[in-house]
Amino acid sequence: MSVQRVQAGYLPGLTPADVQWQTLPFEQDGRRVDVAVPVLTAAQMQALAERVKQASARHLKTMTVSEIINVIDRAIARLLDPNDPVRQQADALLPIVSGYDGQMVRLGLTGFFKTFRAPQLHRFVAEDFANPKVLDGFQPAAKGGAVRAHGPQLLVHSWAGNVPALALWSLICGLLVKAGNIGKLPSAEPLFAGWFAHLLAEVHPPLADCLAVVWWRGAGEDDAAALYAQADTVVAYGGNDALHAIQRRLPVTTRFLPHGHKLGFGVVSAAALDAQKAPALARRAAWDVMRYDQQGCYSPQIFYVQRGGLVSPRDFAAYLAGELANLHRRFPRRALDLAESAALAKWRQSIEWQLPSIAADVLIGDPDAAWTVSYVDTAPALSPTALQRSIVVAGIDMLDEVAARVAPHHHYLQTAGVAATPEELYRLADQLGAAGVTRVSAIGAMSMPEAGWHHDGRFNLLDLVRMTEIEQSAETAADPYAPYEP
């Protein structure tokens, strides 16, 4: 077996010889990649944080938001170029590291990168700031006086690795608010963030010292403590236990923005279920289930399908099963580890045990459990499946039933995919929003959020800044001191 060795991270001011390295091995289909991740001392971490803060004050904070967007756009243009060495490296290595099908990763990366082109980023900023120039200087406030937004001196990211290149989202947010950025690599996908940092430094060398990408195992020790002690704001992704562990290490003055586990689901109106619309809708639903094997927080766990259409909910489940079978032939599911295989087998077995007592229910699955569709005639409350392309289709009589089914998990709700008439869409969105849903998308777009979406119902950029106001009283009081006054 050939072994490729790759160095991860991005450490301005440090040479490879200055730090210790730990190897994380990855293997897929007879190919192996050994990823060397940096292990810094507390003193090195502290010095790195100071370097990033000082450099961002000199360079990043003096740029306009439009200039920053142009730099990001140039980097993204390279990532979208299939002939660029960085994109070729991503296409070659991320499937091995993540375990996902290579073609699925390539399609996913291209769709993801397209949301960060300049027009999308300008919309992204405008979504949070009515006047984006507040990030560049004081601007007139509607109530009088003036206002300006200041990004953190140091923004620390703790990234999850369940989906390739996921770090890009929060890192770009940090750049847009002109923060010095240091991100902690996930052990599950330790490559992309460092590549992007190197790419930004190539595209615009003054940014070279304005960000860093580091690593530590688990919750970290003195190295993590040294970094967290200097952070103004920490953005973290992962399981709730991991997020609590991070929060306990932060000073009370540090702003903490956690993004934990979420549940997604779909709702299908009878209006979408005729002989023409239902097969196409099932195809789009299958893509939402297939993308990254439901590892994204926006992936569906269940589709609530209304009875009364020309195509029954049970027949829709059969269409969905057929589409998942087709997609498995094109994009095979990644190999599961023992724990994942056991969880999937347990979930399927729990459903099989219930089937004899419920004549209307059915389990449709690939013989090798590469995908599973469970149809239930009585709609259950929302609950997680075993993921790995396992999905529940539940029949309902009224769309208004759905909010009550999902409300018990309101703390974990995020994305709802909806196929319904315009009138039904707005009524459902109102009910689901009250139940805790923060994003309503089309089925087929659940796993592809738009630029500027409010992640977990919050503001991506506003949450990162603090506002400084000059009150109108201060403006008025300053007038007598002006040299042009008598």
Side-chain angles (χ1 to χ4, degrees):
M1 179 190 299
S2 63
V3 179
Q4 185 172 352
R5 291 175 172 81
V6 184
Q7 201 169 83
Y10 178 72
L11 308 171
L14 291 169
T15 68
D18 294 331
V19 300
Q20 294 183 331
W21 297 86
Q22 181 167 328
T23 298
L24 304 178
F26 299 90
E27 185 178 333
Q28 185 195 48
D29 297 334
R31 297 173 297 169
R32 176 168 166 170
V33 176
D34 284 352
V35 179
V37 290
V39 181
L40 274 63
T41 65
Q44 287 174 324
M45 196 73 79
Q46 186 172 4
L48 185 63
E50 287 292 345
R51 185 184 187 97
V52 168
K53 286 195 292 186
Q54 292 173 13
S56 65
R58 288 194 305 270
H59 302 295
L60 192 57
K61 292 185 186 299
T62 61
M63 298 172 68
T64 67
V65 172
S66 292
E67 290 171 340
I68 295 170
I69 287 175
N70 287 337
V71 171
I72 296 171
D73 184 64
R74 285 159 55 199
I76 294 296
R78 286 188 54 182
L79 290 173
L80 286 168
D81 180 0
N83 296 315
D84 187 90
V86 180
R87 178 57 192 263
Q88 290 178 339
Q89 191 175 36
D91 287 344
L93 298 185
L94 288 182
I96 302 173
V97 169
S98 67
Y100 295 119
D101 174 73
Q103 182 65 4
M104 180 169 68
V105 170
R106 285 187 284 275
L107 289 173
L109 289 178
T110 296
F112 187 48
F113 295 153
K114 285 162 64 176
T115 63
F116 298 106
R117 297 309 306 266
Q120 285 73 26
L121 290 179
H122 281 293
R123 295 187 190 104
F124 193 3
V125 175
E127 185 67 31
D128 279 18
F129 299 98
N131 181 357
K133 289 183 178 181
V134 296
L135 289 162
D136 299 333
F138 280 101
Q139 298 295 312
K143 65 179 180 59
V147 63
R148 178 176 182 173
H150 294 273
Q153 292 185 54
L154 183 63
L155 173 62
V156 171
H157 312 254
S158 181
W159 292 310
N162 51 322
V163 173
L166 196 59
L168 188 60
W169 195 277
S170 71
L171 186 52
I172 284 179
C173 288
L175 292 169
L176 291 174
V177 299
K178 309 181 185 182
N181 291 270
I182 298 182
K184 184 256 180 182
L185 290 166
S187 296
E189 196 280 88
L191 290 175
F192 182 80
W195 291 338
F196 187 67
H198 281 282
L199 184 55
L200 281 174
E202 288 180 27
V203 167
H204 191 69
L207 293 186
D209 288 359
C210 296
L211 68 165
V213 179
V214 300
W215 179 87
W216 58 74
R217 182 172 293 283
E221 297 180 2
D222 291 344
D223 48 358
L227 182 59
Y228 287 142
Q230 296 207 52
D232 302 290
T233 303
V234 174
V235 180
Y237 302 82
N240 291 343
D241 290 342
L243 295 175
H244 284 141
I246 293 172
Q247 189 173 30
R248 286 193 293 268
R249 305 192 68 159
L250 300 180
V252 69
T253 54
T254 301
R255 186 181 301 184
F256 182 53
L257 302 173
H259 295 281
H261 288 315
K262 297 297 176 183
L263 294 173
F265 61 94
V267 185
V268 179
S269 163
L273 296 174
D274 62 27
Q276 270 192 319
K277 299 186 185 77
L281 181 62
R283 189 174 304 118
R284 294 194 294 273
W287 275 89
D288 279 332
V289 176
M290 179 276 299
R291 284 191 187 101
Y292 295 125
D293 301 342
Q294 294 172 288
Q295 295 298 312
C297 56
Y298 26 62
S299 300
Q301 310 289 320
I302 185 171
F303 287 104
Y304 293 102
V305 182
Q306 187 182 22
R307 284 181 274 267
L310 296 178
V311 173
S312 70
R314 183 168 178 163
D315 288 340
F316 180 80
Y319 281 135
L320 179 58
E323 293 298 337
L324 285 173
N326 290 335
L327 287 175
H328 176 61
R329 286 189 284 271
R330 294 177 59 192
F331 310 104
R333 193 197 62 198
R334 67 184 177 88
L336 305 184
D337 61 29
L338 289 176
E340 291 169 330
S341 296
L344 179 57
K346 183 178 179 181
W347 181 79
R348 286 172 62 109
Q349 190 176 58
S350 69
I351 294 171
E352 289 168 347
W353 283 348
Q354 299 174 37
L355 293 182
S357 63
I358 310 174
D361 294 357
V362 64
L363 180 69
I364 312 169
D366 175 78
D368 298 320
W371 55 268
T372 308
V373 177
S374 169
Y375 174 71
V376 291
D377 209 39
T378 301
L382 174 65
S383 63
T385 67
L387 308 180
Q388 321 307 342
R389 309 190 190 185
S390 58
I391 188 74
V392 174
V393 176
I396 56 172
D397 293 318
M398 304 291 293
L399 297 180
D400 294 345
E401 298 174 33
V402 176
R405 297 285 191 274
V406 303
H409 292 291
H410 64 279
H411 289 303
Y412 298 96
L413 298 181
Q414 187 199 78
T415 296
V418 174
T421 67
E423 181 182 351
E424 291 170 334
L425 170 64
Y426 276 88
R427 187 177 78 247
L428 260 176
D430 199 36
Q431 295 168 356
L432 298 178
V437 168
T438 60
R439 173 176 172 251
V440 177
S441 78
I443 290 176
M446 294 180 67
S447 51
M448 300 175 63
E450 296 176 345
W453 75 301
H454 296 97
H455 192 178
D456 293 343
R458 302 206 305 245
F459 289 94
N460 293 288
L461 303 180
L462 270 175
D463 276 1
L464 298 176
V465 304
R466 59 177 175 82
M467 309 302 290
T468 300
E469 295 185 1
I470 299 174
E471 293 190 349
Q472 193 168 14
S473 63
E475 285 187 320
T476 303
D479 280 340
Y481 309 122
Y484 50 76
E485 285 294 324

